[in-house]
Amino acid sequence: MKIYTKTGDKGLTSLIGGTRVPKHHIRIEAYGTVDELNSWVGLIRDQEISDPVKVLLGEIQDRLFTIGSSLASDPEKSRMKIPDLKEEDVVLLEKEMDRMNETLPEMRSFVLPGGHTTVSYCHIARCVCRRAERASLKLAENEFVAELIGKYLNRLSDYLFVLSRRLSHDLKVPEIPWKPRM
């Protein structure tokens, strides 16, 4: 199978279902940002972190492929069976955040990203996740997007923030509080 098809050379690409759209279409922006997020999550998973976190990050990557497939489909024309997100996917993130928060110190200020490369990767992934959420919500203003996609991305960005705090704690690097100048 050839990777290059030359069908996108004039700035158009195909959705699942065959519809051709400009490569700058909000649907392409949405699933492209989810793809970028998936790559950042893979980079976090490649770090020296605990095996249970790696397993959960692998599941998150699977859900991100599910979201990307949904966003890449023309809701009017696609006949392909696409996996669905489930409410339990959101609940899993919430439970994991609750578990991690049990042993973390109370937040008393905003935290500046940084302190360790792995922690910084979490913050970058969190920002990309927020961008994916915004693009998906913008798309949903005019076209069908499953409501659970926005909810999952919202919760995932929260999870990535809590994970950054957990990893700071595990790596014994201090969180850097934001101290605004007055």
Side-chain angles (χ1 to χ4, degrees), residues 3 16 18 21 55 60 69 76 81 84 91 93-94 114 116 135 139-141 146 164 168:
I3 295 298
I16 297 172
V21 296
V55 169
I60 289 168
S69 298
E76 303 289 321
K81 176 66 179 138
D84 292 322
V91 171
L93 295 176
E94 292 171 344
H116 189 280
L139 175 63
E141 288 178 355
S164 75
S168 288

Side-chain angles (χ1 to χ4, degrees), residues 35-55:
D35 187 36
E36 180 184 351
L37 172 59
N38 206 335
S39 295
W40 282 107
V41 171
L43 184 61
I44 298 166
R45 203 176 93 213
D46 289 343
Q47 304 307 300
E48 295 294 321
I49 57 176
S50 71
D51 286 340
V53 173
K54 286 184 181 198
V55 169

Side-chain angles (χ1 to χ4, degrees), residues 13-30:
T13 191
S14 294
L15 299 175
I16 297 172
T19 303
R20 303 279 294 164
V21 296
K23 289 185 176 186
H24 59 79
H25 190 280
I26 185 60
R27 184 170 290 281
I28 308 307
E29 185 65 33

